[in-house]
Amino acid sequence: MKFFIDTANLNEIREAYDLGVLDGVTTNPSLMAKEGIKGDANVKAHYKAICNIVDQNVSAEVIATDFDGIMREGRELAKIDDKIVVKVPMIRDGVKALKKFSSEGIRTNCTLVFSPGQAILAAKAGASYVSPFIGRLDDISQDGMELIAQIRLIYDNYSYGTEILAASIRHTIHLIKCAEIGADVATCPLKVITDLLKHPLTDSGLEKFLADHKKVNS
Ligand code: G3P
């Protein structure tokens, strides 16, 4: 399973990369706004800075919602670096653009996916990644994890090449369940990645090992 970090914060990206387990980054307009990144030149420079930290897979989202605008923005984003994956919303013109980007060899991430039907469309349009949002479904009392399972089954039935990028992950249980189901990628905040480290028995066990070592070596 690949781990992506869901942030536009350079320090968090560096921290996750330094841990040695990071396979990519996903951003979205809200995450870019959170970092105060505005203006075309600054946005592009920020994506370049992210690409300079990680080895691969930096999702950069288009703002346009019409086919021509999505294509224009996506091609510009793709020019920033070979690591860029153009993130396109699951809307009619977005699906058309996914197909066109695919024919041009530009990698894509279809975002804002909340149903198996949308995931089928993304795969048929040739998206490199599909991003079902688990947490936001949970927020409206629908089972986000069930959606991941449905998409896994459907994609396996037809050997679709689109990778399932589980998004809107809020805690480690989401991530573990995604791994059990077989999501290809989980994108999550830094805290979810570092929370995987934690177990009280690890802490108490290490404390005992070090105390026993000290007893015979002091
Ligand atoms: O980047 C897409 C997704 O991961 C957003 O998550 O927590 O805003 O629902 P969240």
Side-chain angles (χ1 to χ4, degrees):
M1 183 188 223
K2 285 185 260 189
F3 278 6
F4 291 178
I5 187 167
D6 197 29
T7 184
N9 182 283
L10 299 180
N11 290 332
E12 289 183 0
I13 294 167
R14 275 189 210 99
E15 188 178 335
Y17 183 79
D18 286 347
L19 197 58
V21 298
L22 194 67
D23 302 295
V25 179
T26 51
T27 62
N28 62 40
S30 303
L31 294 171
M32 292 292 276
K34 196 173 161 193
E35 299 306 312
I37 315 297
K38 57 182 175 184
D40 198 42
N42 288 333
V43 166
K44 283 182 180 159
H46 198 77
Y47 283 134
K48 188 67 187 174
I50 294 174
C51 290
N52 287 340
I53 298 172
V54 299
D55 298 329
Q56 54 189 328
N57 300 315
V58 176
S59 280
E61 188 159 341
V62 297
I63 306 299
T65 55
D66 63 291
F67 177 76
D68 290 338
I70 293 171
M71 291 308 302
R72 190 171 51 250
E73 274 184 39
R75 287 177 184 133
E76 282 298 308
L77 289 169
K79 274 188 215 155
I80 296 171
D81 197 289
D82 286 346
K83 297 171 191 173
I84 292 286
V85 177
V86 177
K87 206 170 176 188
V88 178
M90 170 40 74
I91 54 175
R92 183 183 293 262
D93 281 20
V95 172
K96 282 170 62 180
L98 289 170
K99 189 75 184 175
K100 183 75 176 142
F101 282 131
S102 171
S103 73
E104 294 180 5
I106 292 174
R107 292 184 301 148
T108 52
N109 173 356
C110 182
T111 190
L112 290 166
V113 166
F114 295 94
S115 78
Q118 292 178 325
I120 293 172
L121 279 178
K124 286 189 67 69
S128 314
Y129 298 99
V130 65
S131 288
F133 280 27
I134 299 170
R136 293 193 193 183
L137 278 171
D138 289 355
D139 288 346
I140 59 160
S141 303
Q142 290 188 19
D143 186 354
M145 208 53 65
E146 175 60 22
L147 175 61
I148 303 295
Q150 287 174 299
I151 300 173
R152 179 74 282 155
L153 176 67
I154 292 165
Y155 281 14
D156 288 351
N157 281 348
Y158 297 99
S159 301
Y160 286 135
T162 302
E163 293 188 56
I164 301 172
L165 195 173
S168 188
I169 287 180
R170 304 276 170 77
H171 45 69
T172 57
I173 297 170
H174 274 156
L175 191 145
I176 303 294
K177 290 279 176 205
C178 281
E180 286 175 357
I181 292 167
D184 301 287
V185 190
T187 190
C188 38
L190 177 63
K191 183 178 184 309
V192 175
I193 298 175
T194 54
D195 277 357
L196 292 173
L197 285 163
K198 295 175 188 166
H199 197 286
L201 289 178
T202 304
D203 296 340
S204 60
L206 182 60
E207 200 178 320
K208 175 91 168 65
F209 285 157
L210 295 180
D212 289 345
H213 173 80
K214 200 172 171 188
K215 265 186 229 162
V216 294
N217 287 282
S218 56

